[in-house]
Short mmCIF file of all heavy atoms in Angstrom, two decimals:
data_model
loop_
_atom_site.label_atom_id
_atom_site.label_comp_id
_atom_site.label_asym_id
_atom_site.label_seq_id
_atom_site.Cartn_x
_atom_site.Cartn_y
_atom_site.Cartn_z
N TRP A 743 242.86 174.20 124.34
CA TRP A 743 241.94 175.14 125.02
C TRP A 743 241.33 176.00 124.00
O TRP A 743 241.97 176.52 123.16
CB TRP A 743 242.78 175.99 126.05
CG TRP A 743 243.34 175.27 127.11
CD1 TRP A 743 244.63 174.99 127.44
CD2 TRP A 743 242.64 174.56 128.16
NE1 TRP A 743 244.76 174.18 128.54
CE2 TRP A 743 243.48 174.02 129.04
CE3 TRP A 743 241.29 174.38 128.58
CZ2 TRP A 743 243.19 173.17 130.17
CZ3 TRP A 743 240.98 173.75 129.67
CH2 TRP A 743 241.85 173.07 130.54
N GLN A 744 240.06 176.04 124.09
CA GLN A 744 239.11 176.92 123.17
C GLN A 744 239.10 176.30 121.66
O GLN A 744 238.57 176.96 120.82
CB GLN A 744 239.70 178.32 123.14
CG GLN A 744 239.72 179.01 124.44
CD GLN A 744 240.39 180.46 124.38
OE1 GLN A 744 240.55 180.89 123.37
NE2 GLN A 744 240.63 180.95 125.56
N ARG A 745 239.57 174.99 121.46
CA ARG A 745 239.42 174.30 120.23
C ARG A 745 238.78 172.98 120.56
O ARG A 745 239.39 172.13 121.11
CB ARG A 745 240.72 174.17 119.68
CG ARG A 745 241.42 175.39 119.08
CD ARG A 745 242.75 175.09 118.46
NE ARG A 745 242.58 173.99 117.34
CZ ARG A 745 243.46 173.18 116.97
NH1 ARG A 745 244.76 173.18 117.64
NH2 ARG A 745 243.30 172.31 116.11
N TYR A 746 237.49 172.99 120.21
CA TYR A 746 236.67 171.73 120.48
C TYR A 746 235.99 171.25 119.21
O TYR A 746 235.50 171.95 118.32
CB TYR A 746 235.59 172.12 121.54
CG TYR A 746 236.15 172.92 122.69
CD1 TYR A 746 235.94 174.35 122.86
CD2 TYR A 746 236.93 172.26 123.64
CE1 TYR A 746 236.46 175.01 123.87
CE2 TYR A 746 237.41 173.04 124.76
CZ TYR A 746 237.13 174.27 124.82
OH TYR A 746 237.67 175.01 125.93
N ARG A 747 235.98 169.98 119.14
CA ARG A 747 235.18 169.33 118.03
C ARG A 747 234.10 168.37 118.73
O ARG A 747 234.50 167.41 119.39
CB ARG A 747 236.07 168.50 117.13
CG ARG A 747 235.44 167.77 115.95
CD ARG A 747 236.39 167.24 114.95
NE ARG A 747 237.23 166.22 115.59
CZ ARG A 747 236.94 164.85 115.45
NH1 ARG A 747 235.85 164.51 114.79
NH2 ARG A 747 237.80 164.00 115.93
N ILE A 748 232.89 168.67 118.42
CA ILE A 748 231.82 167.81 118.90
C ILE A 748 231.66 166.45 118.18
O ILE A 748 231.53 166.43 116.96
CB ILE A 748 230.47 168.49 118.87
CG1 ILE A 748 230.53 169.81 119.78
CG2 ILE A 748 229.35 167.69 119.43
CD1 ILE A 748 229.26 170.62 119.70
N LEU A 749 231.91 165.40 118.84
CA LEU A 749 231.94 164.04 118.25
C LEU A 749 230.52 163.60 118.15
O LEU A 749 230.17 162.80 117.11
CB LEU A 749 232.74 163.09 119.10
CG LEU A 749 234.20 163.45 119.27
CD1 LEU A 749 234.89 162.44 120.23
CD2 LEU A 749 234.92 163.47 117.97
N GLY A 750 229.70 163.83 119.07
CA GLY A 750 228.30 163.46 118.96
C GLY A 750 227.46 163.90 120.23
O GLY A 750 228.14 164.25 121.17
N ALA A 751 226.19 163.91 120.10
CA ALA A 751 225.37 164.44 121.16
C ALA A 751 224.05 163.70 121.15
O ALA A 751 223.76 163.01 120.28
CB ALA A 751 225.12 165.94 120.94
N THR A 752 223.15 163.91 122.12
CA THR A 752 221.94 163.28 122.25
C THR A 752 221.00 163.68 121.12
O THR A 752 221.08 164.88 120.89
CB THR A 752 221.24 163.41 123.63
OG1 THR A 752 220.00 162.74 123.63
CG2 THR A 752 221.09 164.89 123.90
N ILE A 753 220.24 162.84 120.68
CA ILE A 753 219.24 163.19 119.65
C ILE A 753 217.91 163.42 120.20
O ILE A 753 216.97 163.84 119.56
CB ILE A 753 219.14 162.13 118.61
CG1 ILE A 753 218.68 160.84 119.18
CG2 ILE A 753 220.39 161.99 117.78
CD1 ILE A 753 218.44 159.67 118.07
N ASP A 754 217.74 163.18 121.55
CA ASP A 754 216.49 163.56 122.21
C ASP A 754 216.76 163.93 123.64
O ASP A 754 217.16 165.05 123.88
CB ASP A 754 215.61 162.23 122.24
CG ASP A 754 216.27 161.01 122.43
OD1 ASP A 754 216.99 160.82 123.52
OD2 ASP A 754 216.16 160.04 121.53
N ASP A 755 216.49 163.13 124.70
CA ASP A 755 216.64 163.54 126.03
C ASP A 755 218.07 163.59 126.49
O ASP A 755 219.05 162.83 125.98
CB ASP A 755 215.96 162.63 127.06
CG ASP A 755 214.42 162.67 126.89
OD1 ASP A 755 213.95 163.61 126.18
OD2 ASP A 755 213.74 161.87 127.41
N ALA A 756 218.47 164.48 127.40
CA ALA A 756 219.77 164.38 128.03
C ALA A 756 219.74 163.43 129.27
O ALA A 756 218.65 163.03 129.66
CB ALA A 756 220.22 165.77 128.53
N VAL A 757 220.90 162.98 129.63
CA VAL A 757 221.04 162.06 130.73
C VAL A 757 220.39 162.42 131.98
O VAL A 757 219.61 161.81 132.59
CB VAL A 757 222.54 161.62 130.97
CG1 VAL A 757 222.59 160.79 132.28
CG2 VAL A 757 223.09 160.88 129.84
N GLY A 758 220.70 163.80 132.43
CA GLY A 758 220.03 164.29 133.64
C GLY A 758 218.61 164.35 133.48
O GLY A 758 217.85 164.05 134.48
N GLU A 759 217.97 164.68 132.30
CA GLU A 759 216.65 164.83 132.15
C GLU A 759 215.96 163.43 132.31
O GLU A 759 214.93 163.29 132.92
CB GLU A 759 216.40 165.32 130.73
CG GLU A 759 214.85 165.48 130.26
CD GLU A 759 214.72 166.05 128.89
OE1 GLU A 759 215.77 166.17 128.25
OE2 GLU A 759 213.65 166.21 128.47
N ALA A 760 216.55 162.33 131.69
CA ALA A 760 216.11 160.98 131.93
C ALA A 760 216.08 160.57 133.38
O ALA A 760 215.18 159.94 133.79
CB ALA A 760 217.08 160.04 131.07
N PHE A 761 217.14 160.90 134.07
CA PHE A 761 217.19 160.58 135.59
C PHE A 761 216.04 161.22 136.20
O PHE A 761 215.33 160.71 137.08
CB PHE A 761 218.50 161.11 136.15
CG PHE A 761 219.67 160.06 136.08
CD1 PHE A 761 220.51 159.91 135.14
CD2 PHE A 761 219.72 159.15 137.27
CE1 PHE A 761 221.43 158.90 135.12
CE2 PHE A 761 220.65 158.22 137.20
CZ PHE A 761 221.60 158.09 136.15
N ASP A 762 215.74 162.47 135.91
CA ASP A 762 214.59 163.16 136.56
C ASP A 762 213.30 162.72 136.31
O ASP A 762 212.37 162.55 137.17
CB ASP A 762 214.68 164.69 136.18
CG ASP A 762 215.92 165.47 136.74
OD1 ASP A 762 216.39 164.95 137.78
OD2 ASP A 762 216.24 166.55 136.28
N LYS A 763 213.07 162.21 135.06
CA LYS A 763 211.84 161.72 134.65
C LYS A 763 211.61 160.30 135.17
O LYS A 763 210.46 159.99 135.62
CB LYS A 763 211.72 161.72 133.12
CG LYS A 763 211.58 163.12 132.48
CD LYS A 763 211.47 163.05 131.00
CE LYS A 763 211.22 164.43 130.45
NZ LYS A 763 211.30 164.52 128.98
N VAL A 764 212.68 159.56 135.28
CA VAL A 764 212.48 158.14 135.95
C VAL A 764 212.19 158.27 137.36
O VAL A 764 211.34 157.66 137.93
CB VAL A 764 213.75 157.31 135.69
CG1 VAL A 764 213.74 156.10 136.48
CG2 VAL A 764 213.78 156.92 134.16
N ALA A 765 212.97 159.23 138.01
CA ALA A 765 212.71 159.52 139.42
C ALA A 765 211.28 160.01 139.66
O ALA A 765 210.65 159.44 140.64
CB ALA A 765 213.70 160.56 139.91
N LYS A 766 210.71 160.74 138.84
CA LYS A 766 209.34 161.23 139.03
C LYS A 766 208.32 160.07 138.88
O LYS A 766 207.53 159.94 139.73
CB LYS A 766 209.04 162.34 138.00
CG LYS A 766 207.63 163.01 138.15
CD LYS A 766 207.59 164.10 137.17
CE LYS A 766 206.10 164.78 137.37
NZ LYS A 766 205.95 165.95 136.41
N ALA A 767 208.66 159.17 138.01
CA ALA A 767 207.78 157.99 137.91
C ALA A 767 207.83 157.17 139.02
O ALA A 767 206.85 156.43 139.40
CB ALA A 767 208.19 157.17 136.55
N LEU A 768 208.97 157.13 139.69
CA LEU A 768 209.10 156.33 140.91
C LEU A 768 208.57 157.11 142.25
O LEU A 768 208.67 156.54 143.33
CB LEU A 768 210.56 155.96 141.28
CG LEU A 768 211.19 154.94 140.25
CD1 LEU A 768 212.69 154.85 140.31
CD2 LEU A 768 210.54 153.55 140.40
N GLY A 769 208.13 158.35 142.04
CA GLY A 769 207.71 159.05 143.23
C GLY A 769 208.91 159.70 143.98
O GLY A 769 208.63 160.04 145.20
N LEU A 770 210.09 159.84 143.42
CA LEU A 770 211.17 160.42 144.12
C LEU A 770 211.29 161.97 143.83
O LEU A 770 210.82 162.36 142.80
CB LEU A 770 212.44 159.65 143.57
CG LEU A 770 212.56 158.25 143.75
CD1 LEU A 770 213.90 157.68 143.16
CD2 LEU A 770 212.51 157.75 145.20
N PRO A 771 211.85 162.59 144.63
CA PRO A 771 211.90 164.02 144.75
C PRO A 771 212.87 164.54 143.52
O PRO A 771 213.67 163.71 143.05
CB PRO A 771 212.39 164.52 146.04
CG PRO A 771 212.31 163.37 146.94
CD PRO A 771 212.24 162.11 146.14
N TYR A 772 212.64 165.73 143.12
CA TYR A 772 213.57 166.44 142.15
C TYR A 772 214.73 167.11 142.92
O TYR A 772 214.37 167.68 144.03
CB TYR A 772 212.73 167.43 141.41
CG TYR A 772 213.55 168.44 140.58
CD1 TYR A 772 213.98 167.96 139.24
CD2 TYR A 772 214.04 169.60 141.02
CE1 TYR A 772 214.78 168.82 138.52
CE2 TYR A 772 214.85 170.46 140.23
CZ TYR A 772 215.21 170.05 138.96
OH TYR A 772 216.03 170.78 138.18
N PRO A 773 215.98 167.09 142.40
CA PRO A 773 216.42 166.40 141.14
C PRO A 773 216.55 164.88 141.48
O PRO A 773 216.98 164.58 142.61
CB PRO A 773 217.64 167.07 140.87
CG PRO A 773 218.13 167.66 142.23
CD PRO A 773 216.92 167.92 142.98
N GLY A 774 216.19 164.15 140.48
CA GLY A 774 216.22 162.69 140.58
C GLY A 774 217.55 162.03 140.71
O GLY A 774 217.67 160.91 141.33
N GLY A 775 218.53 162.65 140.04
CA GLY A 775 219.89 161.86 139.98
C GLY A 775 220.46 161.39 141.31
O GLY A 775 220.60 160.21 141.53
N PRO A 776 220.55 162.23 142.35
CA PRO A 776 221.10 161.89 143.63
C PRO A 776 220.25 160.79 144.29
O PRO A 776 220.78 159.90 145.02
CB PRO A 776 221.04 163.16 144.48
CG PRO A 776 221.17 164.24 143.37
CD PRO A 776 220.34 163.71 142.34
N HIS A 777 218.90 160.86 144.11
CA HIS A 777 217.98 159.81 144.79
C HIS A 777 218.12 158.48 144.07
O HIS A 777 218.20 157.42 144.73
CB HIS A 777 216.57 160.34 144.78
CG HIS A 777 216.38 161.58 145.58
ND1 HIS A 777 216.38 161.65 146.83
CD2 HIS A 777 216.35 162.93 145.14
CE1 HIS A 777 216.25 162.87 147.40
NE2 HIS A 777 216.29 163.74 146.30
N ILE A 778 218.24 158.47 142.68
CA ILE A 778 218.34 157.23 142.12
C ILE A 778 219.69 156.64 142.38
O ILE A 778 219.88 155.36 142.61
CB ILE A 778 218.21 157.44 140.56
CG1 ILE A 778 216.68 157.61 140.18
CG2 ILE A 778 218.73 156.24 139.74
CD1 ILE A 778 216.53 158.01 138.75
N SER A 779 220.80 157.37 142.44
CA SER A 779 222.02 156.94 142.82
C SER A 779 222.13 156.43 144.17
O SER A 779 222.74 155.23 144.35
CB SER A 779 223.11 158.08 142.71
OG SER A 779 224.36 157.67 143.01
N ARG A 780 221.51 156.97 145.11
CA ARG A 780 221.44 156.42 146.47
C ARG A 780 220.73 155.14 146.59
O ARG A 780 221.22 154.18 147.16
CB ARG A 780 220.88 157.40 147.40
CG ARG A 780 220.57 156.97 148.87
CD ARG A 780 219.88 158.05 149.65
NE ARG A 780 218.70 158.56 149.06
CZ ARG A 780 217.50 158.02 149.15
NH1 ARG A 780 217.41 156.76 149.91
NH2 ARG A 780 216.41 158.60 148.62
N LEU A 781 219.52 155.04 145.88
CA LEU A 781 218.88 153.82 145.92
C LEU A 781 219.48 152.66 145.20
O LEU A 781 219.33 151.41 145.47
CB LEU A 781 217.34 154.01 145.48
CG LEU A 781 216.54 154.87 146.34
CD1 LEU A 781 215.28 155.27 145.71
CD2 LEU A 781 216.15 154.13 147.60
N ALA A 782 220.15 153.04 144.09
CA ALA A 782 220.81 152.01 143.29
C ALA A 782 221.83 151.24 144.04
O ALA A 782 222.19 150.03 143.64
CB ALA A 782 221.56 152.64 141.97
N LYS A 783 222.49 151.78 145.11
CA LYS A 783 223.35 151.07 145.82
C LYS A 783 222.78 149.76 146.46
O LYS A 783 223.52 148.86 146.84
CB LYS A 783 224.08 151.99 146.98
CG LYS A 783 224.78 153.13 146.36
CD LYS A 783 225.30 154.00 147.50
CE LYS A 783 226.03 155.27 146.96
NZ LYS A 783 226.40 156.17 148.03
N GLU A 784 221.51 149.85 146.74
CA GLU A 784 220.82 148.78 147.37
C GLU A 784 220.18 147.76 146.44
O GLU A 784 219.57 146.76 146.81
CB GLU A 784 219.68 149.31 148.30
CG GLU A 784 220.21 150.38 149.29
CD GLU A 784 218.99 151.12 149.92
OE1 GLU A 784 217.88 150.71 149.75
OE2 GLU A 784 219.36 152.10 150.71
N GLY A 785 220.36 148.02 145.15
CA GLY A 785 219.71 147.08 144.12
C GLY A 785 220.70 146.40 143.27
O GLY A 785 221.94 146.53 143.40
N ASP A 786 220.10 145.52 142.43
CA ASP A 786 220.83 144.71 141.55
C ASP A 786 220.91 145.26 140.13
O ASP A 786 219.87 145.37 139.50
CB ASP A 786 220.19 143.30 141.55
CG ASP A 786 220.95 142.30 140.58
OD1 ASP A 786 222.03 142.77 140.01
OD2 ASP A 786 220.47 141.11 140.47
N PRO A 787 222.07 145.73 139.65
CA PRO A 787 222.05 146.26 138.40
C PRO A 787 221.71 145.34 137.18
O PRO A 787 221.41 145.84 136.08
CB PRO A 787 223.56 146.85 138.26
CG PRO A 787 224.27 145.96 139.24
CD PRO A 787 223.47 145.66 140.26
N GLN A 788 221.68 144.10 137.45
CA GLN A 788 221.37 143.08 136.36
C GLN A 788 219.97 142.56 136.58
O GLN A 788 219.59 141.53 135.89
CB GLN A 788 222.50 141.92 136.43
CG GLN A 788 223.83 142.45 136.16
CD GLN A 788 224.88 141.39 136.15
OE1 GLN A 788 224.55 140.25 136.59
NE2 GLN A 788 226.11 141.61 135.76
N ALA A 789 219.18 143.08 137.52
CA ALA A 789 217.88 142.49 137.79
C ALA A 789 216.92 142.68 136.61
O ALA A 789 216.11 141.81 136.38
CB ALA A 789 217.32 143.23 138.99
#
Side-chain angles (χ1 to χ4, degrees):
W743 296 111
Q744 301 174 14
R745 288 182 55 209
Y746 312 104
R747 180 169 65 94
I748 297 175
L749 301 174
T752 181
I753 61 175
D754 40 56
D755 293 349
V757 170
E759 181 183 3
F761 268 91
D762 289 337
K763 290 179 178 177
V764 169
K766 186 174 183 179
L768 288 169
L770 302 176
Y772 170 86
H777 298 281
I778 287 178
S779 177
R780 174 177 54 83
L781 290 167
K783 295 177 183 178
E784 305 169 8
D786 179 1
Q788 298 180 347

